[in-house]
Amino acid sequence: MDVSRLLDSLNDKQRQAVAAPSTDMLVLAGAGSGKTRVLVHRMAWLMEVEGISPYGILAVTFTNKAAREMRSRVESLMHSSLQGMWIGTFHGLAHRLLRTHYQEAGLPENFQILDSDDQHRLIRRVLKALNLDEKHWSPKHIQWYINGNKDEGLRPRHMETHGDATQARMKEIYQAYQDTCDRSGLVDFAELLLRAHELWVNNPRILQHYQQRFRAVLVDEFQDTNNIQYAWLRLLACESNNMMIVGDDDQSIYGWRGANVDNIQHFLRDFDGATTIRLEQNYRSTGKILKAANAVIENNSSRLGKELWTEGSEGEPISLYAGFNELDEARFIVAQIRQWHEKGGALSDCAVLYRNNAQSRVLEEGMLHEGLAYRIYGGLRFFERQEIKDALGYLRMVNQPLDDAAFERVVNTPSRGIGERTLEQIREVAKSTEQSMWQSAFLMLREKRLSGRAAKALQGFVDLVIRLQEETPSLSLDQQADHVIKASGLFAMYQAEKGEKAQARIENLEELVTACKQFEVPEEAENMTPLSAFLAHASLEAGETQADSHQDAVQMMTMHSAKGLEFPLVVIAGVEEGMFPSQMSNEEPGRLEEERRLCYVGMTRAMEKLYITYAESRRLYGQDKFHTPSRFIREIPSDCLEEIRLRKTQVSRPVQNRFQPATSHTAFESTGFQLGQRVMHPKFGEGTVLNYEGSGEHARVQVNFADIGSKWLVLAYARLSPC
Ligand code: ATP
Ligand code: MG
């Protein structure tokens, strides 16, 4: 049997892992050391050498994309298709199991999966049925509570309330929610895992069947498994004596979602006699990138400890760029990618990584402006996000209330007791009178066609929109957005929710205010109000088709979504204190170390070239923030870092010293001004150049004046002079 092709492309340690005799094994190794590669080769080895059929292998990984990739890599090593092999995510595999054994799992044959939005809606219905006010019982918080308990394997009957009324009520809601799910044949994500576990606990014969069937169990990204996932694996694999887990404690980044890195230790405890193999050679990144990543992660205290080295070239140092503001930062990034592309590099080899989804907007606009195709990976484009569409819905109602889509979107968001029946009636009236829903609502209220409660709720919405219409015209566009987001109750609704996702929604809403502030009515929309022009801009941008997966496009994603991936060129943007590490990490113990691991994940995605950028001032969530560079930058050894500095010094103010214009600034430079420059205006006095657009006689600059704040001026008329 020729197995050399399974081993030839591996180093000694990797070979040892791939060709080990049947045993439990932990491969603990840093980023880019070939863990996923080992896993794939081990699967091929087990089939080819150990004679295990594809039917006898179960492999788990973190995303569907990774699962597909793993399957295709094994198939190409084996030169055959792998019918019968179970390869997927924990959720996917649990689902498959429950479909097969729905009766034993106590589910109807056609049970449906509830996604996170559906689950949220259902919780709201349950609260209503229990007569509980959403203001006090935030549906998001309850969702978090239910899922968190399920992740720990806890049913309502396991919950201890210790005589605490709130706890007792939470338990009651959990129970009522679960009863509703059970009655309707609905299974949420966390339930998939919990039920799959219970299926085995309660049905030893089924468990035994799978224990005998799966002679090998392999898990990638093990450091991010949660407790119920681990318990499930343990039941399955304890007997098989052939479990391989691969992971990296330094890349554990889902602690906030219940992942438990201690599972690595639990594995060594529970799988007595398991072999540990450490891989230390990195094949992904250049020497400098690797040295920098190692140095950063060394600042964490609780580590299992490992060091990575490479035989590859030293490579270029990491380039550090200090943007004057976030727009300048985006311009710089776009210019670097353009340069790479012009030299023949593929756009899809470039990744722009950031901490929060809200950061993508400015970067997206930079890409659009320069005509670079991009793809947001693992997330929605800014203007397509739920909360942004909600806010735009209100703005659209203010702008033009006959907009039925906007009406439908916001009439009961946040919930104000307008039920589906009332809406159905409004739709019918709208249809029969050929009017908009807004007009129909008026008609129904005037003719008192609704019950007292429904009428009151609908009147509340109508009054709100009218009030907003009256209050907003005198405000600037960003004030309008801010006012509408707050007065509509949207802001409060998301604020009352718990968890990282709700926080991200709040940040996005604040970011929308910033987008309004930065918005300039384009020439072709001069006769429109700023609000109409902005709404048109938002829908056009949302409608712009995202580059499809086959098109060459820059990959943009959060660092969380970048796990396991690699790219020749990587930019990490927004590396500032308060952004990354995030503000929250100062408040919760353990959080800072998790942020640092995320930084390690981000840096180690880069193969050839890494850029790290930050902005000295950032308009964030509607406010100007002056952040200092992230501590993670200081943790990088200076010989690995090259600061991109000024090409020419113009003025001695400190703010400019760090600024180096991106290539596309040349047209602006020819005007004799620079971003960040101090200037004097005969009427407005002294100020700082914040931004610019256009060229030649159309060039306009935005100047922040000490006395009157920021103003856009046409350069040709402004009589500005340097000071
Ligand atoms: P991460 O922790 O980021 O998931 P990993 O440890 O899973 O990383 P892989 O993705 O398996 O690492 O490998 C990183 C890169 O190194 C891949 O491009 C892989 O093909 C390559 N590689 C791994 N081992 C070798 C080897 N022995 N020879 C050549 N290239 C290798
Ligand atoms: Mg991997």
Side-chain angles (χ1 to χ4, degrees), residues 627-694:
H627 291 140
T628 53
S630 167
R631 71 191 72 194
F632 302 148
I633 295 176
R634 286 199 301 277
E635 292 168 3
I636 297 176
S638 56
D639 63 321
C640 297
L641 206 58
E642 163 197 69
E643 200 164 349
I644 300 185
R645 286 182 178 282
L646 261 182
R647 266 185 289 162
K648 52 182 179 189
T649 316
Q650 275 218 337
V651 261
S652 55
R653 302 267 174 177
V655 67
Q656 282 132 7
N657 286 347
R658 308 189 69 91
F659 176 72
Q660 190 238 347
T663 45
S664 58
H665 289 189
T666 41
F668 178 61
E669 278 173 24
S670 69
T671 63
F673 292 99
Q674 276 207 325
L675 286 180
Q677 181 170 359
R678 295 291 289 175
V679 289
M680 178 60 105
H681 185 273
K683 191 160 145 215
F684 306 131
E686 216 177 293
T688 307
V689 178
L690 290 183
N691 201 355
Y692 70 88
E693 63 172 31

Side-chain angles (χ1 to χ4, degrees), residues 9-10 14 31-37 251 283-284 566 605:
S9 59
L10 302 174
Q14 292 174 329
S33 57
K35 295 183 296 300
T36 304
R37 189 175 174 121
Q251 294 187 69
Y283 291 91
R284 179 180 292 149
E566 59 189 20
R605 300 309 97 199

Side-chain angles (χ1 to χ4, degrees), residues 195-211:
R195 229 176 243 250
H197 182 252
E198 288 172 346
L199 171 75
W200 281 347
V201 172
N202 300 333
N203 298 276
R205 292 222 345 253
I206 297 180
L207 173 62
Q208 202 183 17
H209 164 80
Y210 285 101
Q211 285 172 336

Side-chain angles (χ1 to χ4, degrees), residues 52 66 143 187 207 256 282 453 461 508 525 562 671 688:
I52 300 182
Q143 189 169 14
V187 176
L207 173 62
W256 55 277
N282 172 292
R453 237 171 107 190
F461 174 67
N508 283 334
T671 63
T688 307

Side-chain angles (χ1 to χ4, degrees), residues 152-196:
E152 295 296 322
L154 300 174
R155 295 284 184 198
R157 66 173 182 277
H158 302 125
M159 316 296 309
E160 293 288 346
T161 58
H162 304 292
D164 179 308
T166 308
Q167 287 299 320
R169 188 49 74 101
M170 293 295 269
K171 177 174 169 171
E172 183 193 353
I173 299 169
Y174 182 5
Q175 184 67 59
Y177 162 82
Q178 198 52 49
D179 291 345
T180 313
C181 287
D182 292 347
R183 268 199 311 273
S184 336
L186 297 169
V187 176
D188 59 53
F189 286 144
E191 182 76 17
L192 283 173
L193 302 174
L194 177 53
R195 229 176 243 250

